[in-house]
Amino acid sequence: MTPRADRDAPVSPEIVRLVDEALAARHGARTWDGPGDPVGGLVGTILSQNTTGVNSREAFRRLREALPTWDDVANAPVKEVEQAIQTGGLARQKAPRIIEVLRQIREDQGRLSLALLNDMPVADAMRYLTSFRGVGPKTAGCVLMFDLGLHVFPVDTHVHRISRRLGWVPDKASAEKAQDLLEALIPGEAKYQLHINMVSHGRALCRPRIPGCDDCPIADFCHYPDVGH
């Protein structure tokens, strides 16, 4: 690989392609699994905030077990939802947020469905989802990418860290600003695979502390020693 020595130089499409290929060679090729339930995706992503994947998936499973339909969840007392999702952490904050979002969707659409997103331009779909309290660009992006297969690029903590170390976004860019910049930088067809593999890479090697730089397949493109975190 050819390193991009100048951190301030524009990131070329070729660099993005090479990083995508290197991460796919290490972590695997990724293809979209097909349409999902965007309402369930939205609830699941809210549950995933500030916790581990294992904990959020268990919270989601227990919620569906206790309250099998989304109308059941929307109609339930907050305490019942809170009890069901305790394993996911921050249940007191997430339970009323989930109920509020579900009730708002039902009020807007006349039923608990996000089918309207299929007919919206991406920007409009992002605006609609982020209009809900507690739903930011990352959460909205995950729903649009995973459940609808749209070409968006959610920025979680791993993607944020790696993109700054690579110099793809300014070191002081917020996650929301980074998402805007990376949406424009990364080709649509590469977004799904690159997002998933950057998350995998952040968990496996490009950790916040003591990253595995000696075994990193994209080390030649990285500015980590300059960034320092």
Side-chain angles (χ1 to χ4, degrees):
M1 291 186 287
T2 303
R4 185 171 63 86
D6 183 0
R7 178 175 171 80
D8 297 321
V11 182
S12 71
E14 178 69 3
I15 292 292
V16 175
R17 183 184 66 81
L18 290 171
V19 168
D20 182 29
E21 289 179 353
L23 290 178
R26 172 62 64 91
H27 300 291
R30 313 287 185 162
T31 55
W32 185 50
D33 294 332
D37 167 24
V39 175
L42 182 55
V43 172
T45 308
I46 292 171
L47 287 172
S48 74
Q49 294 169 354
N50 303 110
T51 191
T52 66
V54 171
N55 288 344
S56 66
R57 286 190 292 273
E58 179 62 13
F60 187 87
R61 184 191 70 78
R62 292 189 181 190
L63 179 64
R64 297 314 305 270
E65 186 176 82
L67 299 160
T69 73
W70 296 126
D71 279 299
D72 290 337
V73 178
N75 296 334
V78 172
K79 283 292 184 183
E80 188 173 353
V81 175
E82 185 181 319
Q83 184 174 8
I85 65 172
Q86 278 183 345
T87 58
L90 299 177
R92 289 185 179 180
Q93 289 79 27
K94 293 176 182 178
R97 188 176 303 164
I98 288 168
I99 291 171
E100 181 183 329
V101 168
L102 293 177
R103 290 177 178 176
Q104 186 62 57
I105 293 171
R106 189 167 60 188
E107 183 178 332
D108 289 347
Q109 307 305 317
R111 60 192 177 110
L112 264 168
S113 169
L114 285 172
L116 80 160
L117 297 176
N118 289 299
D119 301 319
M120 283 186 173
V122 172
D124 290 346
M126 285 289 292
R127 274 193 293 272
Y128 179 72
L129 290 175
T130 55
S131 70
F132 299 124
R133 186 173 68 90
V135 177
K138 190 267 286 188
T139 297
C142 284
V143 172
L144 297 180
M145 183 179 73
F146 287 112
D147 293 300
L148 298 178
L150 298 180
H151 290 164
V152 296
F153 197 78
V155 172
D156 75 342
T157 183
H158 302 292
V159 174
H160 192 206
R161 179 170 63 255
I162 293 171
S163 62
R164 286 181 294 151
R165 287 177 173 177
L166 288 170
W168 289 8
V169 300
D171 186 40
K172 294 184 179 180
S174 67
E176 291 190 12
K177 179 61 176 176
Q179 185 159 321
D180 288 340
L181 294 171
L182 293 170
E183 288 273 10
L185 173 66
I186 298 166
E189 65 277 6
K191 284 183 166 71
Y192 183 84
Q193 173 170 277
L194 189 53
H195 168 84
I196 294 177
N197 283 336
M198 287 179 81
V199 172
S200 296
H201 195 61
R203 289 171 175 164
L205 279 176
C206 196
R207 298 176 293 271
R209 298 182 180 180
I210 316 177
C213 299
D214 292 343
D215 189 36
C216 179
I218 58 173
D220 285 347
F221 301 105
C222 187
H223 300 276
Y224 173 71
D226 299 326
V227 176
H229 59 261

